[in-house]
Amino acid sequence: MSLTLLIDLDDTLLQNDINVFLPHYLKALSSHLSDRYAGDVFLHHLLEATQGMVENRNPRYTAEEVFDQAFYPALKTTKQDLGTPINTFYEEVFPSLRTLTSPRPAAIQMMQEALSRGYQVVVATNPLFPATAIRQRLEWAGLSPRDYPFALITTYENMHFTKPNPAYYAEILGQLGWPDWPAVMVGNSWTDDILPAAALGLQTFFLTGAEGNSGDLNLSLQGKLEDVIPWLEGVAQAGQAVPVRKTPAALLATLRSTPAAIDSITRGFSAQDWQTRPADGEWAATEVVCHMRDVDAEINLVRFERIIRGENPFLPGINSDDWAAERGYAQEDGPVALRQFQDARSRLIDLLESLDEAGWNQPARHAIFGPTTLLELVSFSITHDRNHLQQIWCNLYA
């Protein structure tokens, strides 16, 4: 497999003007629940909870969990109580919205050709809907997940971040184990698809005739669906993996995405899965997470704070790999360690988010790397994140 293709759904794979579709969807949903709530009250809380998903920056909560925490208490009800009528809506009413959409033959052909070449394909649609709504729209597009082996379909159940947050794109790659081959994004929205994906370092393809301005020709190739496959072939042949972009926005997005991706990967883990080693001498997932937690809490936070204070500190090398045996990581509880890692990572991000350009360029002296800057050291942390995400992913799929 030589390439990972992230591709948008609405007005990319499926002809669906979201500015037409969304009002009809909201009207149908509020009408379905009109015996319980006044339409304006229901929609107000629905839109507020949806905005909460867009604004979420916490790697501990999926978009669904963020939505639930805001939506159901605001309506003075519970998910259990409202679950049956909402499920009925998606089973019986939502399918009627299909008439607002139409399949795109060029998208079907392009998808078939991409999969026939062995490309890994992700349906990278904004995860503001439950899985059933997204899977139905894929069926309307003639691209049923039953027939097309997508590597991932982003939904509000399996993602923590949404578009246009660059962390959304980093989280996708994290859930795939940060593949060592090229990754690209194809979409019709300059603001939601192209800019944040390019900010992270993905190569992008902007579908012309779409909303927004035509963008920067130096930032994204532009064309029609029929032009995508030739472009993908060239990208795959070049073989350049997604680089570690040394910009604060890209680094922060990846730092935020790592504990989120691990959360998604491990949610189905049994206690045995957490402790299973793929081979003698390899770490189990619990040991990996404990290592990442302690590196953040005891090495990175301490070092970064010293650098930010302007001390130009000397940073000795630390062999943190020995901690796994010395501290008995294998005996720890994996989910608990993950929560602790999420907390340590959040403190690290809080520290870095407040910095200006001068702060990111504060100097330090490293025992191995020599003269360096905070920006460069954070980029090394990103490489560290990617390596360990690959390790956890391989534990699961190797």
Side-chain angles (χ1 to χ4, degrees), residues 301-362:
L301 267 169
V302 175
R303 286 178 170 177
F304 295 172
E305 286 172 345
R306 290 186 63 194
I307 296 170
I308 290 169
R309 287 197 297 267
E311 299 177 6
N312 189 19
F314 175 76
L315 307 174
I318 299 174
N319 185 7
S320 58
D321 288 355
D322 290 345
W323 293 353
E326 294 170 359
R327 301 183 179 189
Y329 285 164
Q331 283 69 54
E332 292 202 34
D333 182 286
V336 171
L338 176 57
R339 298 295 175 260
Q340 293 168 341
F341 170 48
Q342 289 168 333
D343 289 342
R345 178 55 58 89
S346 293
R347 293 196 299 273
L348 190 72
I349 291 170
D350 288 344
L351 177 70
L352 296 173
E353 275 191 315
S354 62
L355 298 178
D356 57 15
E357 183 178 356
W360 280 96
N361 287 304
Q362 286 279 16

Short mmCIF file of all heavy atoms in Angstrom, two decimals, residues 301-362:
data_model
loop_
_atom_site.label_atom_id
_atom_site.label_comp_id
_atom_site.label_asym_id
_atom_site.label_seq_id
_atom_site.Cartn_x
_atom_site.Cartn_y
_atom_site.Cartn_z
N LEU A 301 7.71 18.57 29.98
CA LEU A 301 7.18 19.74 30.71
C LEU A 301 8.30 20.49 31.42
O LEU A 301 8.36 21.72 31.37
CB LEU A 301 6.10 19.29 31.70
CG LEU A 301 4.66 19.32 31.21
CD1 LEU A 301 3.74 18.62 32.19
CD2 LEU A 301 4.20 20.76 31.00
N VAL A 302 9.16 19.74 32.08
CA VAL A 302 10.25 20.37 32.84
C VAL A 302 11.19 21.12 31.89
O VAL A 302 11.57 22.27 32.14
CB VAL A 302 11.02 19.30 33.64
CG1 VAL A 302 12.23 19.92 34.33
CG2 VAL A 302 10.10 18.65 34.67
N ARG A 303 11.57 20.47 30.80
CA ARG A 303 12.48 21.10 29.85
C ARG A 303 11.85 22.33 29.21
O ARG A 303 12.49 23.39 29.10
CB ARG A 303 12.85 20.10 28.77
CG ARG A 303 13.83 19.04 29.21
CD ARG A 303 14.11 18.05 28.10
NE ARG A 303 15.23 17.17 28.43
CZ ARG A 303 15.65 16.17 27.65
NH1 ARG A 303 15.03 15.95 26.48
NH2 ARG A 303 16.68 15.42 28.00
N PHE A 304 10.62 22.20 28.75
CA PHE A 304 9.98 23.31 28.05
C PHE A 304 9.79 24.52 28.96
O PHE A 304 9.95 25.67 28.53
CB PHE A 304 8.64 22.86 27.47
CG PHE A 304 8.75 21.80 26.39
CD1 PHE A 304 7.62 21.17 25.89
CD2 PHE A 304 9.99 21.41 25.89
CE1 PHE A 304 7.71 20.19 24.91
CE2 PHE A 304 10.10 20.43 24.90
CZ PHE A 304 8.95 19.83 24.42
N GLU A 305 9.45 24.27 30.20
CA GLU A 305 9.30 25.38 31.15
C GLU A 305 10.62 26.12 31.32
O GLU A 305 10.65 27.36 31.37
CB GLU A 305 8.78 24.86 32.48
CG GLU A 305 7.31 24.48 32.46
CD GLU A 305 6.87 23.79 33.74
OE1 GLU A 305 7.76 23.35 34.52
OE2 GLU A 305 5.64 23.68 33.96
N ARG A 306 11.72 25.40 31.43
CA ARG A 306 13.04 26.03 31.59
C ARG A 306 13.40 26.84 30.35
O ARG A 306 13.94 27.96 30.46
CB ARG A 306 14.11 24.97 31.85
CG ARG A 306 14.02 24.28 33.20
CD ARG A 306 15.21 23.37 33.41
NE ARG A 306 16.46 24.13 33.45
CZ ARG A 306 17.67 23.58 33.35
NH1 ARG A 306 17.79 22.27 33.17
NH2 ARG A 306 18.75 24.34 33.40
N ILE A 307 13.13 26.29 29.17
CA ILE A 307 13.44 27.01 27.94
C ILE A 307 12.61 28.28 27.83
O ILE A 307 13.13 29.35 27.48
CB ILE A 307 13.19 26.09 26.72
CG1 ILE A 307 14.13 24.89 26.75
CG2 ILE A 307 13.37 26.87 25.42
CD1 ILE A 307 13.79 23.82 25.73
N ILE A 308 11.32 28.18 28.14
CA ILE A 308 10.44 29.34 28.03
C ILE A 308 10.85 30.45 28.99
O ILE A 308 10.69 31.64 28.68
CB ILE A 308 8.98 28.90 28.27
CG1 ILE A 308 8.50 28.03 27.09
CG2 ILE A 308 8.05 30.10 28.44
CD1 ILE A 308 7.19 27.33 27.33
N ARG A 309 11.42 30.07 30.13
CA ARG A 309 11.89 31.09 31.07
C ARG A 309 13.13 31.82 30.57
O ARG A 309 13.59 32.78 31.21
CB ARG A 309 12.19 30.44 32.43
CG ARG A 309 10.95 30.05 33.22
CD ARG A 309 11.28 29.81 34.69
NE ARG A 309 12.20 28.70 34.88
CZ ARG A 309 11.83 27.43 35.12
NH1 ARG A 309 10.52 27.13 35.18
NH2 ARG A 309 12.73 26.49 35.30
N GLY A 310 13.69 31.40 29.45
CA GLY A 310 14.83 32.09 28.87
C GLY A 310 16.15 31.72 29.48
O GLY A 310 17.11 32.50 29.42
N GLU A 311 16.26 30.51 30.03
CA GLU A 311 17.49 30.11 30.71
C GLU A 311 18.56 29.57 29.75
O GLU A 311 19.70 29.34 30.17
CB GLU A 311 17.18 29.02 31.76
CG GLU A 311 16.22 29.46 32.84
CD GLU A 311 15.88 28.32 33.80
OE1 GLU A 311 16.49 27.22 33.68
OE2 GLU A 311 15.02 28.52 34.68
N ASN A 312 18.19 29.34 28.47
CA ASN A 312 19.09 28.66 27.54
C ASN A 312 19.73 27.45 28.23
O ASN A 312 20.96 27.32 28.31
CB ASN A 312 20.18 29.62 27.04
CG ASN A 312 21.00 29.00 25.89
OD1 ASN A 312 20.57 28.05 25.24
ND2 ASN A 312 22.19 29.55 25.67
N PRO A 313 18.90 26.54 28.74
CA PRO A 313 19.41 25.47 29.61
C PRO A 313 20.19 24.41 28.85
O PRO A 313 19.98 24.19 27.65
CB PRO A 313 18.13 24.87 30.19
CG PRO A 313 17.10 25.08 29.11
CD PRO A 313 17.44 26.43 28.53
N PHE A 314 21.07 23.73 29.58
CA PHE A 314 21.69 22.51 29.07
C PHE A 314 20.78 21.35 29.43
O PHE A 314 20.39 21.19 30.60
CB PHE A 314 23.08 22.29 29.67
CG PHE A 314 23.69 20.99 29.26
CD1 PHE A 314 24.23 20.84 27.98
CD2 PHE A 314 23.70 19.90 30.13
CE1 PHE A 314 24.79 19.63 27.59
CE2 PHE A 314 24.26 18.69 29.74
CZ PHE A 314 24.80 18.55 28.47
N LEU A 315 20.46 20.52 28.44
CA LEU A 315 19.51 19.43 28.65
C LEU A 315 20.24 18.10 28.50
O LEU A 315 20.58 17.69 27.39
CB LEU A 315 18.37 19.51 27.62
CG LEU A 315 17.65 20.88 27.55
CD1 LEU A 315 16.65 20.86 26.41
CD2 LEU A 315 16.98 21.20 28.87
N PRO A 316 20.51 17.43 29.61
CA PRO A 316 21.22 16.15 29.53
C PRO A 316 20.34 15.07 28.91
O PRO A 316 19.11 15.13 28.96
CB PRO A 316 21.53 15.83 30.99
CG PRO A 316 20.45 16.52 31.77
CD PRO A 316 20.16 17.79 30.99
N GLY A 317 20.97 14.08 28.31
CA GLY A 317 20.22 12.95 27.78
C GLY A 317 19.64 12.11 28.91
O GLY A 317 20.27 11.95 29.96
N ILE A 318 18.44 11.58 28.71
CA ILE A 318 17.78 10.75 29.71
C ILE A 318 17.31 9.47 29.03
O ILE A 318 16.61 9.52 28.03
CB ILE A 318 16.58 11.48 30.34
CG1 ILE A 318 17.03 12.76 31.04
CG2 ILE A 318 15.84 10.57 31.32
CD1 ILE A 318 15.88 13.61 31.56
N ASN A 319 17.71 8.34 29.58
CA ASN A 319 17.29 7.06 29.02
C ASN A 319 15.96 6.64 29.65
O ASN A 319 15.92 5.85 30.61
CB ASN A 319 18.36 5.99 29.25
CG ASN A 319 18.01 4.68 28.56
OD1 ASN A 319 17.03 4.60 27.81
ND2 ASN A 319 18.79 3.64 28.83
N SER A 320 14.87 7.16 29.13
CA SER A 320 13.56 6.87 29.70
C SER A 320 13.05 5.48 29.34
O SER A 320 12.09 5.00 29.94
CB SER A 320 12.55 7.92 29.23
OG SER A 320 12.47 7.96 27.82
N ASP A 321 13.70 4.81 28.38
CA ASP A 321 13.26 3.46 28.01
C ASP A 321 13.42 2.48 29.17
O ASP A 321 12.64 1.52 29.29
CB ASP A 321 14.05 2.95 26.81
CG ASP A 321 13.68 3.65 25.50
OD1 ASP A 321 12.72 4.47 25.53
OD2 ASP A 321 14.33 3.41 24.48
N ASP A 322 14.41 2.72 30.03
CA ASP A 322 14.63 1.81 31.16
C ASP A 322 13.52 1.90 32.20
O ASP A 322 13.38 1.00 33.03
CB ASP A 322 15.97 2.13 31.84
CG ASP A 322 17.16 1.73 30.97
OD1 ASP A 322 16.96 0.98 30.00
OD2 ASP A 322 18.29 2.18 31.26
N TRP A 323 12.73 2.98 32.15
CA TRP A 323 11.67 3.14 33.15
C TRP A 323 10.62 2.05 33.06
O TRP A 323 9.96 1.74 34.05
CB TRP A 323 11.00 4.51 32.97
CG TRP A 323 11.88 5.68 33.29
CD1 TRP A 323 13.13 5.64 33.84
CD2 TRP A 323 11.58 7.05 33.08
NE1 TRP A 323 13.63 6.92 33.98
CE2 TRP A 323 12.69 7.81 33.52
CE3 TRP A 323 10.49 7.74 32.55
CZ2 TRP A 323 12.73 9.19 33.45
CZ3 TRP A 323 10.52 9.12 32.50
CH2 TRP A 323 11.63 9.84 32.94
N ALA A 324 10.43 1.47 31.88
CA ALA A 324 9.38 0.46 31.72
C ALA A 324 9.60 -0.69 32.69
O ALA A 324 8.66 -1.14 33.37
CB ALA A 324 9.36 -0.05 30.28
N ALA A 325 10.84 -1.18 32.76
CA ALA A 325 11.14 -2.27 33.69
C ALA A 325 11.29 -1.76 35.12
O ALA A 325 10.76 -2.36 36.06
CB ALA A 325 12.41 -2.99 33.25
N GLU A 326 12.00 -0.63 35.29
CA GLU A 326 12.25 -0.11 36.64
C GLU A 326 10.97 0.26 37.37
O GLU A 326 10.85 0.06 38.58
CB GLU A 326 13.16 1.11 36.54
CG GLU A 326 14.56 0.82 36.03
CD GLU A 326 15.35 2.08 35.73
OE1 GLU A 326 14.80 3.19 35.90
OE2 GLU A 326 16.52 1.95 35.30
N ARG A 327 9.99 0.79 36.62
CA ARG A 327 8.76 1.28 37.25
C ARG A 327 7.59 0.29 37.14
O ARG A 327 6.50 0.59 37.61
CB ARG A 327 8.37 2.63 36.65
CG ARG A 327 9.44 3.69 36.82
CD ARG A 327 9.01 5.04 36.28
NE ARG A 327 10.03 6.05 36.48
CZ ARG A 327 9.87 7.36 36.26
NH1 ARG A 327 8.70 7.81 35.81
NH2 ARG A 327 10.86 8.21 36.48
N GLY A 328 7.83 -0.83 36.52
CA GLY A 328 6.79 -1.85 36.43
C GLY A 328 5.58 -1.42 35.62
O GLY A 328 4.44 -1.66 36.02
N TYR A 329 5.82 -0.81 34.47
CA TYR A 329 4.71 -0.34 33.65
C TYR A 329 3.72 -1.46 33.31
O TYR A 329 2.52 -1.22 33.18
CB TYR A 329 5.24 0.25 32.34
CG TYR A 329 5.88 1.61 32.45
CD1 TYR A 329 6.68 2.08 31.40
CD2 TYR A 329 5.72 2.43 33.57
CE1 TYR A 329 7.28 3.34 31.46
CE2 TYR A 329 6.32 3.67 33.63
CZ TYR A 329 7.10 4.13 32.58
OH TYR A 329 7.69 5.36 32.64
N ALA A 330 4.23 -2.67 33.13
CA ALA A 330 3.36 -3.77 32.71
C ALA A 330 2.29 -4.09 33.75
O ALA A 330 1.27 -4.69 33.41
CB ALA A 330 4.19 -5.03 32.42
N GLN A 331 2.52 -3.70 35.00
CA GLN A 331 1.54 -3.98 36.06
C GLN A 331 0.51 -2.86 36.22
O GLN A 331 -0.41 -2.97 37.03
CB GLN A 331 2.26 -4.19 37.40
CG GLN A 331 2.92 -5.57 37.54
CD GLN A 331 4.12 -5.74 36.64
OE1 GLN A 331 5.05 -4.92 36.67
NE2 GLN A 331 4.11 -6.79 35.83
N GLU A 332 0.64 -1.78 35.46
CA GLU A 332 -0.30 -0.67 35.60
C GLU A 332 -1.59 -0.93 34.82
O GLU A 332 -1.66 -1.83 33.97
CB GLU A 332 0.35 0.63 35.14
CG GLU A 332 1.49 1.10 36.05
CD GLU A 332 1.75 2.59 35.92
OE1 GLU A 332 0.78 3.35 35.69
OE2 GLU A 332 2.93 2.98 36.03
N ASP A 333 -2.60 -0.12 35.12
CA ASP A 333 -3.89 -0.20 34.44
C ASP A 333 -3.84 0.69 33.19
O ASP A 333 -3.63 1.90 33.29
CB ASP A 333 -5.00 0.27 35.39
CG ASP A 333 -6.37 0.18 34.77
OD1 ASP A 333 -6.70 1.01 33.89
OD2 ASP A 333 -7.13 -0.73 35.15
N GLY A 334 -4.02 0.09 32.00
CA GLY A 334 -3.88 0.82 30.75
C GLY A 334 -4.80 2.02 30.62
O GLY A 334 -4.35 3.14 30.34
N PRO A 335 -6.12 1.86 30.81
CA PRO A 335 -7.03 3.01 30.68
C PRO A 335 -6.72 4.12 31.68
O PRO A 335 -6.84 5.31 31.34
CB PRO A 335 -8.41 2.39 30.93
CG PRO A 335 -8.26 0.96 30.50
CD PRO A 335 -6.87 0.59 30.90
N VAL A 336 -6.31 3.77 32.89
CA VAL A 336 -5.95 4.80 33.87
C VAL A 336 -4.70 5.55 33.40
O VAL A 336 -4.63 6.79 33.48
CB VAL A 336 -5.72 4.16 35.26
CG1 VAL A 336 -5.12 5.19 36.22
CG2 VAL A 336 -7.02 3.62 35.83
N ALA A 337 -3.73 4.81 32.91
CA ALA A 337 -2.50 5.45 32.41
C ALA A 337 -2.81 6.37 31.24
O ALA A 337 -2.21 7.46 31.11
CB ALA A 337 -1.50 4.38 31.99
N LEU A 338 -3.76 5.98 30.40
CA LEU A 338 -4.13 6.84 29.27
C LEU A 338 -4.73 8.15 29.76
O LEU A 338 -4.41 9.22 29.22
CB LEU A 338 -5.11 6.10 28.35
CG LEU A 338 -5.66 6.92 27.17
CD1 LEU A 338 -4.53 7.45 26.29
CD2 LEU A 338 -6.63 6.07 26.35
N ARG A 339 -5.60 8.09 30.74
CA ARG A 339 -6.17 9.33 31.29
C ARG A 339 -5.08 10.22 31.87
O ARG A 339 -5.11 11.44 31.72
CB ARG A 339 -7.22 9.00 32.37
CG ARG A 339 -8.41 8.21 31.86
CD ARG A 339 -9.25 9.02 30.86
NE ARG A 339 -10.33 8.23 30.29
CZ ARG A 339 -10.32 7.66 29.10
NH1 ARG A 339 -9.24 7.78 28.33
NH2 ARG A 339 -11.36 6.98 28.66
N GLN A 340 -4.12 9.62 32.52
CA GLN A 340 -3.01 10.40 33.08
C GLN A 340 -2.15 11.00 31.97
O GLN A 340 -1.69 12.15 32.09
CB GLN A 340 -2.16 9.49 33.98
CG GLN A 340 -2.91 9.03 35.23
CD GLN A 340 -2.19 7.90 35.96
OE1 GLN A 340 -1.34 7.21 35.40
NE2 GLN A 340 -2.53 7.70 37.24
N PHE A 341 -1.96 10.25 30.90
CA PHE A 341 -1.23 10.80 29.75
C PHE A 341 -2.00 11.97 29.14
O PHE A 341 -1.41 13.01 28.80
CB PHE A 341 -0.99 9.71 28.72
CG PHE A 341 -0.46 10.21 27.40
CD1 PHE A 341 0.62 11.09 27.34
CD2 PHE A 341 -1.02 9.79 26.20
CE1 PHE A 341 1.11 11.55 26.13
CE2 PHE A 341 -0.54 10.24 24.98
CZ PHE A 341 0.53 11.12 24.94
N GLN A 342 -3.32 11.83 28.99
CA GLN A 342 -4.13 12.91 28.45
C GLN A 342 -4.01 14.17 29.31
O GLN A 342 -3.92 15.29 28.79
CB GLN A 342 -5.59 12.47 28.35
CG GLN A 342 -5.84 11.44 27.26
CD GLN A 342 -7.20 10.79 27.36
OE1 GLN A 342 -7.79 10.71 28.43
NE2 GLN A 342 -7.72 10.33 26.23
N ASP A 343 -3.97 13.99 30.63
CA ASP A 343 -3.84 15.15 31.52
C ASP A 343 -2.47 15.80 31.37
O ASP A 343 -2.35 17.03 31.30
CB ASP A 343 -4.05 14.72 32.98
CG ASP A 343 -5.49 14.35 33.29
OD1 ASP A 343 -6.39 14.75 32.51
OD2 ASP A 343 -5.73 13.66 34.29
N ALA A 344 -1.43 14.97 31.31
CA ALA A 344 -0.07 15.52 31.15
C ALA A 344 0.07 16.23 29.81
O ALA A 344 0.65 17.33 29.73
CB ALA A 344 0.96 14.40 31.27
N ARG A 345 -0.49 15.65 28.76
CA ARG A 345 -0.41 16.27 27.44
C ARG A 345 -1.19 17.58 27.41
O ARG A 345 -0.76 18.55 26.76
CB ARG A 345 -0.91 15.28 26.38
CG ARG A 345 -0.91 15.81 24.95
CD ARG A 345 0.45 16.33 24.48
NE ARG A 345 1.53 15.40 24.54
CZ ARG A 345 1.88 14.57 23.56
NH1 ARG A 345 1.19 14.53 22.43
NH2 ARG A 345 2.94 13.78 23.69
N SER A 346 -2.32 17.63 28.06
CA SER A 346 -3.10 18.87 28.10
C SER A 346 -2.34 19.99 28.79
O SER A 346 -2.37 21.15 28.35
CB SER A 346 -4.45 18.64 28.80
OG SER A 346 -5.27 17.76 28.04
N ARG A 347 -1.60 19.65 29.86
CA ARG A 347 -0.77 20.66 30.53
C ARG A 347 0.33 21.15 29.61
O ARG A 347 0.65 22.35 29.58
CB ARG A 347 -0.18 20.08 31.83
CG ARG A 347 -1.20 19.77 32.90
CD ARG A 347 -0.54 19.58 34.26
NE ARG A 347 0.41 18.48 34.28
CZ ARG A 347 0.09 17.21 34.52
NH1 ARG A 347 -1.18 16.87 34.74
NH2 ARG A 347 1.03 16.27 34.55
N LEU A 348 0.90 20.24 28.86
CA LEU A 348 1.95 20.61 27.92
C LEU A 348 1.41 21.55 26.84
O LEU A 348 2.03 22.56 26.50
CB LEU A 348 2.52 19.34 27.28
CG LEU A 348 3.78 19.49 26.43
CD1 LEU A 348 4.98 19.77 27.31
CD2 LEU A 348 4.01 18.24 25.60
N ILE A 349 0.25 21.24 26.31
CA ILE A 349 -0.35 22.07 25.26
C ILE A 349 -0.70 23.44 25.82
O ILE A 349 -0.48 24.47 25.16
CB ILE A 349 -1.58 21.36 24.67
CG1 ILE A 349 -1.14 20.13 23.87
CG2 ILE A 349 -2.37 22.31 23.78
CD1 ILE A 349 -2.27 19.23 23.46
N ASP A 350 -1.26 23.48 27.02
CA ASP A 350 -1.59 24.77 27.65
C ASP A 350 -0.35 25.65 27.76
O ASP A 350 -0.42 26.87 27.57
CB ASP A 350 -2.19 24.54 29.04
CG ASP A 350 -3.60 23.98 28.99
OD1 ASP A 350 -4.24 24.04 27.92
OD2 ASP A 350 -4.06 23.46 30.03
N LEU A 351 0.79 25.03 28.07
CA LEU A 351 2.03 25.78 28.20
C LEU A 351 2.45 26.37 26.86
O LEU A 351 2.89 27.53 26.77
CB LEU A 351 3.12 24.85 28.74
CG LEU A 351 4.53 25.42 28.86
CD1 LEU A 351 4.57 26.46 29.98
CD2 LEU A 351 5.52 24.30 29.13
N LEU A 352 2.31 25.59 25.79
CA LEU A 352 2.80 26.01 24.49
C LEU A 352 1.85 26.94 23.75
O LEU A 352 2.29 27.78 22.96
CB LEU A 352 3.06 24.77 23.62
CG LEU A 352 4.16 23.81 24.12
CD1 LEU A 352 4.18 22.55 23.26
CD2 LEU A 352 5.52 24.50 24.11
N GLU A 353 0.56 26.81 23.99
CA GLU A 353 -0.41 27.58 23.23
C GLU A 353 -0.29 29.09 23.46
O GLU A 353 -0.69 29.88 22.61
CB GLU A 353 -1.83 27.13 23.56
CG GLU A 353 -2.30 25.94 22.75
CD GLU A 353 -3.77 25.68 22.89
OE1 GLU A 353 -4.28 25.71 24.03
OE2 GLU A 353 -4.43 25.43 21.86
N SER A 354 0.23 29.47 24.59
CA SER A 354 0.30 30.89 24.92
C SER A 354 1.53 31.59 24.33
O SER A 354 1.68 32.81 24.47
CB SER A 354 0.33 31.07 26.45
OG SER A 354 1.48 30.45 27.01
N LEU A 355 2.39 30.84 23.63
CA LEU A 355 3.66 31.41 23.18
C LEU A 355 3.52 32.22 21.91
O LEU A 355 2.72 31.89 21.03
CB LEU A 355 4.66 30.27 22.94
CG LEU A 355 5.05 29.43 24.15
CD1 LEU A 355 6.02 28.34 23.71
CD2 LEU A 355 5.67 30.28 25.24
N ASP A 356 4.32 33.26 21.81
CA ASP A 356 4.44 33.98 20.56
C ASP A 356 5.65 33.43 19.80
O ASP A 356 6.29 32.46 20.23
CB ASP A 356 4.59 35.49 20.80
CG ASP A 356 5.77 35.84 21.70
OD1 ASP A 356 6.65 34.97 21.92
OD2 ASP A 356 5.83 36.99 22.19
N GLU A 357 5.99 34.04 18.67
CA GLU A 357 7.09 33.53 17.85
C GLU A 357 8.41 33.51 18.62
O GLU A 357 9.19 32.56 18.50
CB GLU A 357 7.22 34.38 16.59
CG GLU A 357 8.29 33.88 15.63
CD GLU A 357 8.37 34.72 14.36
OE1 GLU A 357 7.53 35.64 14.19
OE2 GLU A 357 9.27 34.44 13.53
N ALA A 358 8.64 34.54 19.40
CA ALA A 358 9.88 34.59 20.17
C ALA A 358 9.95 33.45 21.17
O ALA A 358 11.02 32.86 21.40
CB ALA A 358 10.00 35.94 20.89
N GLY A 359 8.81 33.12 21.78
CA GLY A 359 8.79 32.03 22.74
C GLY A 359 9.13 30.70 22.10
O GLY A 359 9.90 29.89 22.66
N TRP A 360 8.58 30.45 20.91
CA TRP A 360 8.86 29.20 20.22
C TRP A 360 10.34 29.10 19.81
O TRP A 360 10.87 27.99 19.64
CB TRP A 360 7.98 29.07 18.98
CG TRP A 360 6.59 28.62 19.28
CD1 TRP A 360 5.48 29.40 19.45
CD2 TRP A 360 6.14 27.26 19.45
NE1 TRP A 360 4.37 28.63 19.71
CE2 TRP A 360 4.75 27.32 19.71
CE3 TRP A 360 6.76 26.03 19.39
CZ2 TRP A 360 3.98 26.17 19.93
CZ3 TRP A 360 6.01 24.88 19.60
CH2 TRP A 360 4.64 24.96 19.87
N ASN A 361 10.99 30.22 19.65
CA ASN A 361 12.39 30.22 19.19
C ASN A 361 13.40 30.38 20.32
O ASN A 361 14.58 30.60 20.06
CB ASN A 361 12.58 31.30 18.14
CG ASN A 361 11.93 30.93 16.82
OD1 ASN A 361 12.22 29.88 16.25
ND2 ASN A 361 11.03 31.77 16.34
N GLN A 362 12.95 30.25 21.57
CA GLN A 362 13.88 30.31 22.70
C GLN A 362 14.91 29.18 22.58
O GLN A 362 14.58 28.05 22.22
CB GLN A 362 13.12 30.16 24.02
CG GLN A 362 12.33 31.39 24.43
CD GLN A 362 13.21 32.45 25.08
OE1 GLN A 362 14.45 32.41 24.97
NE2 GLN A 362 12.59 33.39 25.75
#
